[in-house]
Amino acid sequence: MLKIRKLNQRKRIALVAHDNKKKDLIEWAEFNRTVLARHAVIATGIIGKLMGDELDRPVKKVLSGPLGGDQQIGSMIATGEIDLLIFFWDPMEAQPHDSDVKALLRVAIAWNCIVACDRATADFVLTSPLMLDEYQIQLSDYGSYFRRKIEK
């Protein structure tokens, strides 16, 4: 059975960044302030605090990534509360919570969430004409996967 999840015109965008990428994400958000104002913004820890100040608009804040914020964002993706994940991660430095990051990205892909991990991709996504309209996301059917696991 094909499952569809509808994204409304007003997208719910999660913003996450590793320490070395926080400045980049804040600069990106300031540059895209007008577009982001049309959407709901959710952010982890320090990014949430800084985004609210810089953008002068409400930002839903969750915990810092290493303290559970990554899992909170992942849970919101799985329950359909987030449409787009913008995660500026640092590919050059190992993170003490790499397993959390991997889990977050795994959940995002499993639920066919739109994901941008760098500024260029985030720019392309945010300027896509699809950001302005409703959009239907096809969700994978993992039923056969779970049936195989149970049968083993």
Side-chain angles (χ1 to χ4, degrees), residues 65-128:
L67 296 177
D70 293 338
Q71 285 93 347
Q72 286 179 292
I73 295 289
S75 175
M76 293 172 79
I77 290 169
T79 57
E81 299 171 63
I82 288 178
D83 304 314
L84 168 61
L85 171 62
I86 297 178
F87 185 179
F88 282 20
W89 61 279
D90 184 355
M92 301 310 241
E93 189 169 314
Q95 303 297 321
H97 64 292
D98 271 342
S99 59
D100 298 335
V101 171
K102 187 175 181 181
L104 173 58
L105 293 173
R106 181 184 303 112
V107 166
I109 298 308
W111 288 98
N112 204 12
C113 182
I114 301 156
V115 179
C117 292
D118 57 49
R119 189 175 189 135
T121 307
D123 285 340
F124 269 74
V125 168
L126 210 62
T127 59
S128 167

Side-chain angles (χ1 to χ4, degrees), residues 11-139:
K11 308 298 187 283
R12 296 158 303 177
I13 303 171
L15 302 177
V16 181
H18 283 149
D19 287 345
N20 290 341
K21 295 293 184 172
K22 285 182 181 5
K23 183 175 182 254
D24 293 341
L25 182 58
I26 291 165
E27 288 173 1
W28 176 85
E30 287 173 353
F31 182 79
N32 290 290
R33 174 190 315 252
T34 304
V35 176
L36 288 173
R38 296 182 199 137
H39 305 284
V41 176
I42 302 103
T44 55
I46 296 167
I47 289 293
K49 168 77 173 101
L50 296 173
M51 286 297 171
D53 294 345
E54 293 296 324
L55 299 178
D56 192 30
R57 61 181 313 274
V59 172
K60 180 177 180 173
K61 297 167 201 68
V62 297
L63 296 171
S64 171
L67 296 177
D70 293 338
Q71 285 93 347
Q72 286 179 292
I73 295 289
S75 175
M76 293 172 79
I77 290 169
T79 57
E81 299 171 63
I82 288 178
D83 304 314
L84 168 61
L85 171 62
I86 297 178
F87 185 179
F88 282 20
W89 61 279
D90 184 355
M92 301 310 241
E93 189 169 314
Q95 303 297 321
H97 64 292
D98 271 342
S99 59
D100 298 335
V101 171
K102 187 175 181 181
L104 173 58
L105 293 173
R106 181 184 303 112
V107 166
I109 298 308
W111 288 98
N112 204 12
C113 182
I114 301 156
V115 179
C117 292
D118 57 49
R119 189 175 189 135
T121 307
D123 285 340
F124 269 74
V125 168
L126 210 62
T127 59
S128 167
L130 298 174
M131 284 294 292
L132 304 174
D133 294 320
E134 290 182 356
Y135 183 77
Q136 293 187 351
I137 289 185
Q138 183 177 335
L139 300 176

